[in-house]
Amino acid sequence: MDDLAIETPRPAAAARAERGDDTEHFDVLIVGAGISGIGGAYHLKVQCPNRSYVVLEAQDAFGGTWHSHRFPGIRSDSDLYTFGYRFKPWVGPPIAVAPEIRRYLGEVIAENDLAPRIRYGHKVRSAVWSSRDNRWTITAEAGLDGRPARFTAGFLWMCQGYFRHEEGYTPDWPGMDSFEGVIAHPENWPEDLDYAGKRVVIIGSGATAATMAPAMAKDAAHVTVLQRSPTYYIPQPNANEFFEQLKPLGLDELLVHDIVRRKVVVDMDEITRRSFEEPEALGQELLAGVEAYVGPEQVAKHFTPTYRPWRQRIALLPDGDMLEAIRAGTVSMVTDHIDRFVPEGILLKSGEILEADIVATATGFNLSVLGDIDFVIDGKPLAFHETVTYRGMMFTGVPNMAWVFGYLRNSWTLRSELIADFVCRMLNHMTERGAKRVEVALRDQDHNMPLGPWIDPENFNAGYLLRGQGKLPQRGDKPEWQHTQDYWREKDDFPAIDLEDEVFRYGVRGRPHATPNP
Ligand SMILES: Cc1cc2nc3c(=O)[nH]c(=O)nc-3n(C[C@H](O)[C@H](O)[C@H](O)COP(=O)(O)OP(=O)(O)OC[C@H]3O[C@@H](n4cnc5c(N)ncnc54)[C@H](O)[C@@H]3O)c2cc1C
């Protein structure tokens, strides 16, 4: 159980179970109590105070990513001024470790009395939409015995994250069974694994590997980071200069938070803009930052990616910790390909053997689309990959549902809050309009637009997205029918969305599009 887990009082449910009537109804059902779901619950409470809602969470505590991941050193890779909510100031250093993030989320739950709305240990298995009733029927497996729990809801708000929490992605290398040491994936890291004095090899060089390496190097005999190809990093002090200047001025914390967030967003947007417009100059600056720690030879060998910056997530290194560890000799980088596992370690294509007691496979996620829930719409299984996304949050042919997929180049939460505002505005609009359902549909002129994969691999090519692309909805050729990954634009576009635009089809009751827009 998490240190901050909050028990949910459920007297009403118990009473209903005794009566043999075990289906509960809520206006809104949120799936997931990670940072998106908790934020969603807060915004619903504040912006739609008359709506009933419940949050169903598969795990035994809140936090999502920050509860399920327990690998050494686990921390954010973006700053908490933007990864935190806009309504709750972050007053610590920009990069935070998981317990600090869980504490922050726990405070949001406590300060806003959200605990009674969250049901832990509820894994949603199916969501069935009926256009006759304009309702979702949701079935979850509840508790340790997995007993079925049934709910109905007017609106489904999917805050289930994007990866399968139970197991990470590990390629199937030959000889793994012959290895005499321990192989562990950061997503299911055995917290009692003792690595003191052990030789550790971490496979991968993304943010997770860059987090684990310096953390494990403090106790391990040695840590080797084995990568196929180099990654971009930004080493920087774990302090925000701007925040440090504003802090002593005695300003309201929320005001300082807002100003620092804006500054971070402007800086991040500048990096993104340059990654497209002047990738070479930006790339050289990033490499120079690394070179200042480890020198030109290491940079040429292990830190010069072949892609332009931001085609994959760039990891921040607080206080340059991984590079400091390389300089100190407790961590070393190897750039090579795995031939096979052998009893004593890993045989590389170059013929070298990396001896290891522990191999950490920081090789990524398995994408979980819609929380691995079976969706059925009016008797027909939902083929999610056949839908077209409306701004990366709603989908053609899927009524009364919003899905949170955050940013890849900015903090996830910036987008989850934009979506929260949109969902709340939409729910209030439906009430005013007397509508029971809303669905997005292509306009006549959009029917012939070219469709493509969810994210253009030229734009962003993370492995889990490429592996899962076929399960994701399609995008059109206009920002409206895409997840643009562009916070700068969406922060203005989302609040300005005209809810009476013809893409929104409202209905009072009955079959789809029963009452088209006037
Ligand atoms: C190590 C690590 C570091 C990261 N650092 C950053 C960072 O610094 N900045 C950033 O922007 N992003 C970061 N990310 C990405 C991160 O996952 C997201 O930003 C964010 O935490 C996602 O929040 P979420 O609430 O949307 O999803 P999650 O944190 O994934 O939470 C989703 C919750 O939904 C629950 N759930 C899923 N399916 C079901 C179901 N069927 N029934 C019931 N419950 C279900 C899950 O159990 C989970 O608790 C990081 C990811 C990892 C793994």
Side-chain angles (χ1 to χ4, degrees):
M1 199 69 175
D2 191 78
D3 42 353
L4 281 163
I6 295 170
E7 276 298 316
T8 310
R10 301 192 41 219
R16 260 190 317 278
E18 269 168 36
R19 290 198 306 269
D21 156 23
D22 59 359
T23 302
E24 295 176 75
H25 179 75
F26 295 94
D27 294 332
V28 182
L29 189 144
I30 296 176
V31 178
I35 200 162
S36 304
I38 295 169
Y42 168 86
H43 285 293
L44 256 185
K45 184 169 176 162
V46 172
Q47 299 187 44
C48 305
N50 297 325
R51 298 266 173 175
S52 63
Y53 68 92
V54 69
V55 182
L56 299 186
E57 168 55 58
Q59 300 189 63
D60 59 2
F62 61 85
T65 299
W66 309 101
H67 176 64
S68 59
H69 285 71
R70 301 285 165 151
F71 60 80
I74 174 169
R75 65 185 182 208
S76 66
D77 59 35
S78 60
D79 71 282
L80 258 289
Y81 308 110
T82 56
F83 191 62
Y85 302 112
R86 66 169 189 253
F87 59 84
K88 163 117 175 138
W90 177 258
V91 292
I95 301 297
V97 291
E100 291 170 328
I101 299 175
R102 290 202 300 272
R103 185 164 306 115
Y104 174 85
L105 294 175
E107 285 171 13
V108 170
I109 291 173
E111 287 161 10
N112 298 287
D113 195 24
L114 302 179
R117 310 297 186 123
I118 308 176
R119 306 276 174 85
Y120 297 109
H122 278 65
K123 174 134 186 103
V124 176
R125 287 296 184 193
S126 69
V128 176
W129 170 262
S130 156
S131 285
R132 201 184 50 208
D133 306 325
N134 282 328
R135 272 188 180 186
W136 290 100
T137 298
I138 292 102
T139 307
E141 278 171 13
L144 292 177
D145 55 353
R147 67 186 180 281
R150 262 164 61 102
F151 303 83
T152 52
F155 197 93
L156 198 50
W157 191 342
M158 297 299 301
C159 298
Q160 84 296 333
Y162 63 101
F163 55 84
R164 200 163 288 143
H165 284 254
E166 302 88 49
E167 38 132 39
Y169 170 70
T170 307
D172 196 9
W173 288 290
M176 285 174 89
D177 288 347
S178 70
F179 177 54
E180 286 168 357
V182 176
I183 301 176
H185 193 285
E187 214 164 310
N188 324 95
W189 191 259
E191 279 188 273
D192 55 356
L193 182 60
D194 181 11
Y195 50 85
K198 303 274 169 60
R199 297 161 303 171
V200 178
V201 172
I202 302 175
I203 304 176
S205 61
T208 300
T211 297
M212 296 178 85
M216 296 183 80
K218 288 181 191 144
D219 297 315
H222 187 77
V223 176
T224 304
V225 176
L226 168 61
Q227 61 176 5
R228 268 189 314 197
S229 57
T231 301
Y232 284 108
Y233 300 105
I234 304 183
Q236 58 183 31
N238 194 17
N240 181 295
E241 209 182 330
F242 201 50
F243 175 74
E244 298 302 326
Q245 285 168 355
L246 291 174
K247 208 163 57 169
L249 301 184
L251 299 172
D252 178 61
E253 272 185 352
L254 203 53
L255 178 66
V256 173
H257 184 63
D258 185 42
I259 296 173
V260 176
R261 273 166 75 86
R262 284 167 193 260
K263 172 83 170 93
V264 173
V265 164
V266 169
D267 292 348
M268 289 307 292
D269 187 61
E270 176 65 4
I271 294 185
T272 303
R273 185 193 64 73
R274 294 187 63 211
S275 74
F276 286 101
E277 292 176 11
E278 41 185 276
E280 293 210 350
L282 176 64
Q284 287 308 317
E285 280 171 37
L286 294 176
L287 298 192
V290 175
E291 192 177 308
Y293 285 84
V294 294
E297 203 179 311
Q298 285 272 327
V299 167
K301 241 170 130 179
H302 302 304
F303 294 97
T304 310
T306 50
Y307 56 90
R308 75 168 162 69
W310 263 143
R311 269 190 81 193
Q312 298 197 4
R313 216 171 155 89
I314 302 180
L316 295 184
L317 303 181
D319 304 317
D321 58 359
M322 184 176 78
L323 305 175
E324 286 285 10
I326 291 174
R327 190 155 64 179
T330 55
V331 171
S332 50
M333 298 289 293
V334 170
T335 306
D336 206 329
H337 287 251
I338 295 175
D339 184 72
R340 54 173 45 251
F341 275 66
V342 289
E344 65 273 34
I346 299 173
L347 172 65
L348 302 173
K349 293 272 189 216
S350 62
E352 188 190 347
I353 291 183
L354 288 181
E355 292 188 358
D357 304 304
I358 297 173
V359 172
T361 52
T363 39
F365 312 117
N366 279 317
L367 191 71
S368 161
V369 177
L370 289 176
D372 293 331
I373 297 166
D374 293 329
F375 273 74
V376 176
I377 298 188
D378 291 325
K380 205 170 153 230
L382 170 63
F384 202 41
H385 62 283
E386 288 175 4
T387 69
V388 180
T389 184
Y390 173 75
R391 297 185 188 273
M393 61 178 169
M394 290 177 77
F395 308 91
T396 51
V398 188
N400 291 21
M401 196 264 268
W403 190 54
V404 175
F405 194 104
Y407 293 117
L408 302 167
R409 294 190 193 95
N410 263 314
S411 285
W412 183 274
T413 321
L414 289 170
R415 190 162 210 269
S416 71
E417 287 199 281
L418 279 183
I419 296 177
D421 287 341
F422 172 81
V423 169
C424 293
R425 196 156 71 85
M426 172 60 82
L427 291 170
N428 290 337
H429 184 70
M430 289 170 77
T431 305
E432 279 163 26
R433 216 182 184 279
K436 295 280 183 224
R437 62 177 286 149
V438 61
E439 188 176 324
V440 287
L442 299 180
R443 299 187 192 88
D444 286 346
Q445 66 267 32
D446 294 327
H447 276 287
N448 293 327
M449 75 179 158
L451 298 176
W454 173 251
I455 284 182
D456 178 359
E458 279 303 309
N459 188 339
F460 201 88
N461 69 352
Y464 65 89
L465 278 176
L466 298 182
R467 286 193 298 276
Q469 194 84 279
K471 298 183 203 159
L472 286 162
Q474 305 171 80
R475 75 174 198 288
D477 66 351
K478 304 179 180 74
E480 206 176 22
W481 298 109
Q482 297 173 350
H483 183 329
T484 62
Q485 292 294 333
D486 187 349
Y487 174 67
W488 198 249
R489 187 171 182 166
E490 290 188 342
K491 75 181 182 355
D492 299 324
D493 286 357
F494 275 33
I497 292 171
D498 174 7
L499 297 179
E500 282 299 310
D501 188 286
E502 64 178 304
V503 297
F504 300 112
R505 307 293 166 90
Y506 296 97
V508 177
R509 60 162 49 99
R511 310 306 297 175
H513 311 166
T515 54
N517 294 346

